Amino acid sequence: MKITLPDNSSRELPEGSSGYDLAKDIGPGLAKSAVAVTIDGVQKDLHDEIMTDSSVSIITIDSDEGLEIMRHTLTAQVLARAIKNLYPKSKLAIGPTIEDGFYYDVESEEVISSDDLNKIEEEMKKIIKSKSSITKKLVSKSEAMKVFKSNKEPYKEIIINESDQDDNFQLYYQEDEKFVDLCRGPHLPNLGFIGSFKLTKVSGAYWKGDSNNSMLTRIYGTAFNSDKDLQQHLDNLEEALKRDHRKLGKEMDLFHFQDEAPGMVFWHPYGWNIYKTLQSFIRNKLDKNGYLEINTPQVVDRKLWEASGHWDKYRENMFITEIDEEHANEKRVNALKPMNCPCHVQVYNQGIRSYKDLPIRYAEFGSCHRYEASGTMHGLMRVRGFTQDDGHIFCTQDQIESETALFISLLSEIYSSLGFKKFDIKLSTRPEVRIGSDEVWDKAESALESAIKKLDYPYTVDEGDGAFYGPKLDFVLTDAIGREWQCGTFQADFNLPNRLDAEYVGEDGKKHHPVMIHRAILGSFERFIGILIENYAGKLPFWLAPQQVVVASIISEVNDYALEVQELLKDQGIRAETDLRNEKISYKVRDHSNKKVPIILAIGKKEMSDKTVSVRRIGSNENEVLDLNLAIKQISEENLNLN
């Protein structure tokens, strides 16, 4: 049997050899660290047999895949068993991995709270100490049902019963076979590979995410290969809590949410200052880069959504309105737009377009609404009402490469101005289910890749993860504490122009469908502002700060001078306020520092008589006394230089 390795070398092994046999054949070091195997692109348990000629790679514990498998084993074989040991009457539901960790959902007669996490951790450590081997049995549907019916695990019965499989259900056991779980695998070959872990929190979760179903207890945890990596992650979590935009948003008086409008932002004056400043900044950049700003309706008849295909594919995420129009014979069904693209095609379709007109770049700060499940909403990061920095480029196939390069350059410039000097690019290629010919896909993928290479940006390829209508680029930012945020996107669409009859007259005098490129840099203003707040821990760059300067009086006799200073600053376009409260200056400085105001100008009798100001910058304990005119000039220049 021929085994092809990742480096394209090959080895001959007897039929029925396992991944472990292959690892041993390659070398003892690899065999020692091997935890699973990938056979023809599918992850398998290390001891699964390789039946035919295959492409095979060994997964080691120190790899990203190995870490994921370790976390999966930890939740399915260790956390689940610990719960059953401590709470024998509990019923196991599901235990998947998530980013940086895992969770398990259980139904328990006893209340499991955060106070119980230490106890559960200790039980998990006892289980791990055994270094028990993990074995797998493949059974039929009826056999699997019998096992979990006997074990009184109703949720496992539901999973099995709803499965389309008739056989090959995977049951995983430890050496003593006193515990069994149904799992897709793969798992570690033994518990000795498990590194450092920590249970983090307990919450409630509905079975299958449906509020009509039972409420389960969800136990979260995280795990890494070393104590050092775990501690770094826990430190990052603690830092993330300090930076939480919801917490800072309240402290800085930026926005709020309330039950009467779930997932919709109530922007306060200071928060709206950030929004307006960011929007103005983006608008200026787009204008300089040849975009034409448009504005399209928020409420659109279902006929357009049917024509675009969104009604069939996206209906459950749309807000629908039904209106009995007075003096009309029909009921009109409208939807709040969940995206802007079909409306942009309508603008493009007004009039006859020539190849000489292309590319046409439309931009819109489009207000969109999507019905997100209540359990998925998270402050500004995931909302139901949001505004996209949306844009659509109508171009020929030959223009895709140049438009890609222009967009990446613009995106890079904007990200840099916002403090993100580095970003990662992911190129997603054709999925199995797609529209358009291979020839068109070849051309589009090649154009995107060529543009990235010419700009000398590193990138990764995500095979098969493109949209059904075309390949795409995703742009990922890394924040101050190492978290990744997918923000920008650039998607080539060969479908929608065809569906909505967008055309241009080519050089040949014939009509053609343009390529429609969907692009965004921020993604949405709401989410990006949340990212900015957390990245800067509320201490936004001066030009973005909701309050740039506070002029604080030390005594009431200088209030008029303080107001004069404020007006001079406002004349220079600075967002300046006064604090004339009858409070000590130390209290005022502390209060405004907590609200992340970049500059505080303290004014007393001496400052008034000398026509000076005492300058205190956030994060500094030093005061600098400056001539008033010089201070105004410096602050104005700082605002201009950073914007």
Side-chain angles (χ1 to χ4, degrees):
M1 175 174 68
K2 183 181 178 181
I3 304 297
T4 304
L5 300 175
D7 63 357
N8 289 323
S9 65
S10 62
R11 289 177 179 260
E12 291 291 333
L13 289 178
E15 285 188 16
S17 297
S18 68
Y20 182 67
D21 294 327
L22 174 62
K24 281 197 304 180
D25 189 66
I26 295 173
L30 183 61
K32 189 176 180 180
S33 63
V35 294
V37 62
T38 299
I39 304 173
D40 292 332
V42 180
Q43 288 187 357
K44 298 283 188 179
D45 288 291
L46 187 63
H47 293 284
D48 281 357
E49 293 182 352
I50 307 169
M51 303 307 296
T52 61
D53 293 353
S54 304
S55 295
V56 181
S57 60
I58 303 297
I59 299 173
T60 58
I61 188 61
D62 58 355
S63 66
D64 290 342
E65 295 90 345
L67 178 58
E68 183 81 1
I69 291 167
M70 186 263 280
R71 289 168 174 164
H72 194 187
T73 305
L74 192 55
T75 187
Q77 283 293 308
V78 182
L79 175 55
R81 184 167 188 175
I83 291 168
K84 293 296 289 188
N85 289 351
L86 295 171
Y87 310 96
K89 295 182 179 180
S90 62
K91 312 299 181 187
L92 301 176
I94 58 171
T97 58
I98 53 176
E99 185 178 4
D100 296 326
F102 55 87
Y103 68 78
Y104 214 108
D105 287 346
V106 300
E107 181 185 284
S108 176
E109 293 180 0
E110 299 179 60
V111 176
I112 302 175
S113 70
S114 56
D115 295 336
D116 299 308
L117 294 182
N118 286 336
K119 177 176 68 175
I120 299 171
E121 279 185 14
E122 289 304 313
E123 186 64 25
M124 291 172 71
K125 289 174 183 177
K126 289 179 186 177
I127 296 168
I128 294 168
K129 195 174 181 181
S130 72
K131 297 185 179 181
S132 173
S133 61
I134 298 172
T135 57
K136 177 174 68 178
K137 294 181 182 179
L138 298 178
V139 301
S140 67
K141 191 170 191 172
S142 61
E143 289 175 296
M145 285 290 286
K146 184 178 178 181
V147 168
F148 290 103
K149 195 174 189 67
S150 173
N151 289 354
K152 297 180 180 178
E153 295 287 2
Y155 295 102
K156 301 297 181 183
E157 290 182 61
I158 293 171
I159 294 170
I160 296 166
N161 191 52
E162 292 180 348
S163 173
D164 294 331
Q165 292 176 232
D166 291 322
D167 53 20
N168 291 329
F169 284 86
Q170 298 186 155
L171 307 187
Y172 285 88
Y173 297 82
Q174 293 170 35
E175 279 180 28
D176 58 14
E177 295 198 357
K178 291 180 179 178
F179 174 79
V180 59
D181 199 8
L182 174 76
C183 195
R184 60 175 173 79
H187 283 318
L188 300 173
N190 65 73
L191 298 181
F193 283 100
I194 289 178
S196 301
F197 74 95
K198 179 75 176 174
L199 299 184
T200 54
K201 65 177 181 180
V202 176
S203 70
Y206 291 110
W207 169 240
K208 295 183 177 181
D210 188 340
S211 59
N212 294 316
N213 292 336
S214 303
M215 172 64 78
L216 306 177
T217 299
R218 178 168 292 178
I219 301 171
Y220 286 92
T222 187
F224 292 85
N225 285 322
S226 70
D227 290 341
K228 180 182 177 182
D229 289 345
L230 174 63
Q231 190 56 54
Q232 181 63 59
H233 178 71
L234 295 175
D235 291 344
N236 286 345
L237 287 179
E238 186 177 348
E239 181 62 27
L241 286 174
K242 295 177 184 176
R243 294 168 177 260
D244 191 319
H245 72 281
R246 296 167 298 178
K247 171 179 171 289
L248 291 171
K250 186 175 183 179
E251 292 174 359
M252 297 170 67
D253 192 21
L254 303 180
F255 59 85
H256 82 273
F257 295 87
Q258 62 187 62
D259 291 342
E260 288 81 358
M264 311 287 185
V265 188
F266 288 79
W267 288 105
H268 298 190
Y270 294 144
W272 196 241
N273 279 347
I274 301 172
Y275 187 105
K276 288 188 300 180
T277 304
L278 185 59
Q279 187 182 75
S280 178
F281 170 73
I282 297 294
R283 176 177 279 121
N284 183 54
K285 294 294 185 184
L286 293 177
D287 186 58
K288 290 180 179 178
N289 280 268
Y291 284 85
L292 306 171
E293 187 175 341
I294 61 176
N295 188 268
T296 59
Q298 292 189 45
V299 181
V300 182
D301 193 290
R302 67 177 287 177
K303 294 175 184 177
L304 181 59
W305 305 113
E306 288 173 338
S308 69
H310 290 98
W311 191 263
D312 291 333
K313 295 178 182 277
Y314 213 76
R315 166 67 181 82
E316 63 183 21
N317 297 105
M318 298 169 71
F319 286 94
I320 308 300
T321 64
E322 295 187 10
I323 302 173
D324 286 310
E325 295 188 338
E326 191 176 359
H327 310 304
N329 296 321
E330 62 179 356
K331 178 182 283 187
R332 181 177 290 272
V333 179
N334 294 322
L336 288 173
K337 65 179 179 183
M339 62 275 296
N340 303 295
C341 31
C343 294
H344 285 204
V345 179
Q346 306 312 302
V347 176
Y348 175 89
N349 283 348
Q350 303 306 301
I352 299 172
R353 306 291 183 180
S354 162
Y355 72 94
K356 296 179 182 179
D357 300 320
L358 304 183
I360 294 174
R361 306 182 189 102
Y362 289 139
E364 180 178 9
F365 300 117
S367 181
C368 298
H369 293 81
R370 298 176 186 175
Y371 184 78
E372 304 286 356
S374 57
T376 65
M377 290 184 290
H378 178 74
L380 297 176
M381 302 304 191
R382 191 155 187 169
V383 292
R384 288 177 175 172
F386 57 94
T387 301
Q388 294 178 310
D389 66 316
D390 208 358
H392 293 91
I393 303 168
F394 296 87
C395 64
T396 67
Q397 291 183 30
D398 291 335
Q399 292 170 330
I400 294 175
E401 182 177 328
S402 58
E403 288 302 308
T404 304
L406 287 170
F407 174 75
I408 295 175
S409 295
L410 172 61
L411 173 139
S412 178
E413 180 185 341
I414 289 174
Y415 283 175
S416 180
S417 297
L418 293 168
F420 300 99
K421 307 300 182 184
K422 177 182 172 293
F423 54 87
D424 296 316
I425 303 176
K426 181 176 73 174
L427 169 61
S428 299
T429 60
R430 69 197 73 185
E432 287 189 17
V433 180
R434 60 184 183 271
I435 64 159
S437 68
D438 285 344
E439 182 183 2
V440 170
W441 276 87
D442 288 341
K443 194 168 186 175
E445 290 173 358
S446 176
L448 295 184
E449 191 162 24
S450 177
I452 304 170
K453 287 180 176 177
K454 284 182 179 178
L455 292 167
D456 199 29
Y457 280 107
Y459 67 99
T460 57
V461 178
D462 194 350
E463 299 284 355
D465 199 42
F468 76 96
Y469 52 73
K472 64 174 182 171
L473 300 176
D474 288 325
F475 300 85
V476 182
L477 299 175
T478 301
D479 71 9
I481 57 174
R483 298 173 299 179
E484 293 186 340
W485 303 93
Q486 194 274 301
C487 296
T489 190
F490 189 86
Q491 305 174 6
D493 186 351
F494 304 101
N495 176 56
L496 200 59
N498 185 38
R499 291 187 68 112
L500 298 181
D501 299 321
E503 296 176 330
Y504 70 93
V505 179
E507 287 187 78
D508 57 3
K510 297 179 180 179
K511 291 184 177 180
H512 304 269
H513 295 296
V515 179
M516 183 180 183
I517 296 173
H518 308 249
R519 46 107 289 166
I521 295 173
L522 306 183
S524 82
F525 278 87
E526 288 74 11
R527 181 171 175 267
F528 202 89
I529 289 172
I531 293 169
L532 284 171
I533 292 169
E534 295 198 1
N535 181 67
Y536 287 104
K539 301 173 185 176
L540 293 169
F542 184 75
W543 67 275
L544 259 180
Q547 295 173 273
Q548 292 179 301
V549 180
V550 168
V551 186
S553 60
I554 297 174
I555 55 174
S556 60
E557 288 90 331
V558 302
N559 285 355
D560 287 344
Y561 180 54
L563 290 167
E564 179 187 338
V565 173
Q566 179 197 20
E567 286 304 310
L568 289 171
L569 288 164
K570 290 174 73 173
D571 287 344
Q572 296 298 314
I574 306 298
R575 292 182 290 280
E577 297 187 11
T578 56
D579 186 344
L580 309 179
R581 292 177 295 174
N582 186 26
E583 300 283 357
K584 292 182 177 179
I585 189 65
S586 59
Y587 174 85
K588 293 181 181 181
V589 169
R590 185 168 61 254
D591 184 37
H592 295 297
S593 296
N594 288 338
K595 293 176 180 175
K596 318 301 181 191
V597 178
I599 297 175
I600 301 169
L601 303 181
I603 303 243
K605 281 187 177 181
K606 184 170 175 52
E607 285 81 10
M608 183 174 68
S609 74
D610 295 346
K611 286 290 181 180
T612 61
V613 290
S614 181
V615 183
R616 169 77 73 93
R617 292 181 175 273
I618 190 168
S620 173
N621 293 319
E622 302 295 323
N623 291 332
E624 182 183 15
V625 178
L626 293 176
D627 173 80
L628 175 59
N629 291 329
L630 178 61
I632 299 289
K633 182 181 177 197
Q634 286 186 359
I635 293 170
S636 299
E637 288 176 351
E638 187 172 348
N639 192 44
L640 291 172
N641 288 338
L642 290 174
N643 194 345

